[in-house]
Amino acid sequence: DVTGRNVWIHDCTVWNQDDCIAVKDDSQNMLFERINASGVGLTIGSIAHSVVRNITFRDCYMHHTYKGIYMKFRAGDKPGYITDVLYENIVMDEPEQWAIWIGPAQQSDSDNPCAAHPCSICWPRFSKHCWIPAAATYSNITLRNIIINNPKQSPGVLFGNDSNP
């Protein structure tokens, strides 16, 4: 997990069963480049009532990753913002789940893995519960030159909220 300002992480390899890189609350001006990764994604989140801005992931390769691009909000009623984000020149080979997920955190905080906190990890197969917090705002998000080879599921999911589209 990375929190802070004016961070540059580059030329590294991350293989795990969690977020490969997770940009956390109140982070700004971060550049991640030339990274080989496989896990739960090049992640921003989960974010609650803070501002995360000016984050760039570029020139990254993800072989047999679970998720690829993953931006997520956790539950909360205070405003949170993810803004000025660029994912550029990202290649994913055979992602296992969603290559691109922009929306609520897909997790469970209980003994029931399909409970939605805020979105069930079983969605949509075994659970229909998936909601994005009303106070969550995404703005100025750019995905440029994203290549997804042989995804196991739909290449991506983008969630909005009726009260804060």
Side-chain angles (χ1 to χ4, degrees), residues 8-13 33-36:
W8 180 37
I9 296 177
H10 58 95
D11 301 293
C12 61
T13 300
E33 61 184 345
R34 298 183 305 274
I35 296 172
N36 290 318

Side-chain angles (χ1 to χ4, degrees), residues 40-75:
V40 185
L42 303 174
T43 304
I44 299 174
S46 57
I47 304 302
H49 54 277
S50 71
V51 177
V52 173
R53 77 171 67 246
N54 195 26
I55 310 298
T56 298
F57 288 92
R58 73 172 167 223
D59 302 327
C60 298
Y61 175 69
M62 305 182 81
H63 182 69
H64 288 278
T65 192
Y66 189 69
K67 280 187 171 83
I69 294 169
Y70 188 18
M71 286 188 278
K72 56 185 177 173
F73 278 96
R74 62 184 178 271

Side-chain angles (χ1 to χ4, degrees), residues 59-144:
D59 302 327
C60 298
Y61 175 69
M62 305 182 81
H63 182 69
H64 288 278
T65 192
Y66 189 69
K67 280 187 171 83
I69 294 169
Y70 188 18
M71 286 188 278
K72 56 185 177 173
F73 278 96
R74 62 184 178 271
D77 56 358
K78 295 180 182 174
Y81 302 90
I82 297 175
T83 186
D84 304 325
V85 173
L86 171 63
Y87 285 88
E88 180 175 46
N89 302 330
I90 310 292
V91 176
M92 291 174 248
D93 286 335
E94 301 180 39
E96 293 292 323
Q97 202 203 39
W98 312 104
I100 300 168
W101 178 282
I102 300 173
Q106 198 176 21
Q107 66 187 36
S108 175
D109 295 334
S110 72
D111 291 338
N112 176 1
C114 291
H117 299 118
C119 180
S120 169
I121 58 175
C122 301
W123 182 91
R125 182 171 287 154
F126 301 113
S127 173
K128 302 301 178 201
H129 301 289
C130 196
W131 52 273
I132 188 163
T137 299
Y138 291 101
S139 67
N140 196 25
I141 308 299
T142 302
L143 307 180
R144 181 182 301 134

